[in-house]
Amino acid sequence: MATPAKPNVAFIGLGAMGFGMATHLVKQGYAVTGFDVWPPTLERFRAAGGKTASTPSDAVRGHDYVVCMVATAQQVQSVLFEGENPALPALAEGASLLLCSTVPCGYVQSLAAQLAREGRSDVLLVDAPVSGGAGRAADGTLSIMAGASDEALEKGRFLLQELSDASKLYIVRGGIGAGSNMKMVHQVLAAVKILATSEGMGFAQRLGLDLAYTYESIQNSDASAWMFGHRGPRILSQFQPIASAITIILKDAGIITSEALRAGFSTPMTGTAEQVYFSSLSRGYGADDDSSLIRLYTEGAKDAVSPLAEEDKAKKLALVRGLLRGIYLCGTAESLSFAKRCQLDLDQVFDLCINAAGGSKVFEDVGPEIINLFRGKEQVAETEGESLQDVASELQAAVTEAQNLKMPLYLGTEASNLIRLALQHVQDQSQPLPRAAIAKIWGA
């Protein structure tokens, strides 16, 4: 029996991620019609075997499956409803619309409501933000967080599967908006850890440590993190190649803080990171790779590595390790607490985060303890294990040394304040607290 022909797919938004996703579909035998506002990108897509359209309307006409991968909610509005020759009037009856852009939950829910108001409830919208970078987009191994009606998920599932790693397609309960919320709580970890990489490496430079040595030592310790391993080499190579501009993570941080405000939730770690990202814009760094944020910590400082005895080198490295682990602990608590507020499946959130860019050894170790705390299983610090007081002591040592050096530790200082706030409400300070107790700051 002949194999059924693969359906035609329209793809709106051929940026770094979208181009990889669309060309992957072409390689898998789909006839893909792409639209982008940048003509050279359309030329590249044609050279890769795709078809092109000059307007969103022309791109989607006659297609039952549409993927939208533009950068912002404003761009989604433009290509679907408000721009020149928008897609909505040309969408086929019962078309499947996969919105893969990273947008606020509130926006994608308003999009579903607008479709209904426009008399297009027939459009099967899937809230499906992605994660993984341009390389995984081109390989079809992205992480995808999909929330929608059962009918929409059933129709669009094969396309989600084509674009994602088999183990990283997360069907998120809660309908439209749930996928965006899942992506958002992961990006809490990403927003914190991108800046933490520059903060840790900048601190190391000011301490006189060799950065290559610091990078290798940290990544082979209990302070390791996916983001540190990914951004660290670009710091060592003078922020090349430019793989992810500062404006990209700033957009995601803004989604987190705006949605937190809408929910009446506090995100002090992400909020601190967002303010630092804003400060980089005023210096003209917005289009630079986000690994270049180390410049905010090393301005005016000497680049030279200090000759250090092994004992001194180990002590200084321990300060960097203590700084990063304290930051990661508070980022972990903020992310999982926000996930709880959003009523997400915490086990699913944990599985996503340990296998994605937000992962770290601290998250892997303490995340399950925090989840158990949320479920009413009171945690007790193990006699031989690390307590919250231990984390506080190591982090404060780093902050104090930075004060002596007259340098900022934006995230480290915020994390130190949060941990001290958690500890000051403990009646018996002589009893070690489990690290998971930090989550009580967020109302656990």
Side-chain angles (χ1 to χ4, degrees), residues 279-307:
S279 73
S280 74
L281 294 188
S282 66
R283 292 170 165 84
Y285 296 166
D288 295 347
D289 191 79
D290 56 34
S291 62
S292 70
L293 288 160
I294 190 175
R295 291 177 288 184
L296 301 177
Y297 299 91
T298 58
E299 291 172 320
K302 297 178 180 178
D303 291 338
V305 176
S306 301

Side-chain angles (χ1 to χ4, degrees), residues 140 217 317:
S217 299
L317 185 66

Side-chain angles (χ1 to χ4, degrees), residues 227-263:
M227 205 64 82
F228 192 92
H230 197 256
R231 266 53 176 187
R234 300 212 294 272
I235 289 176
L236 298 176
S237 62
Q238 291 298 300
F239 327 130
Q240 297 297 323
I242 298 176
S244 186
I246 293 169
T247 50
I248 294 175
I249 192 58
L250 174 58
K251 183 204 78 168
D252 289 358
I255 289 173
I256 295 161
T257 56
S258 63
E259 285 292 289
L261 182 63
R262 192 168 74 97

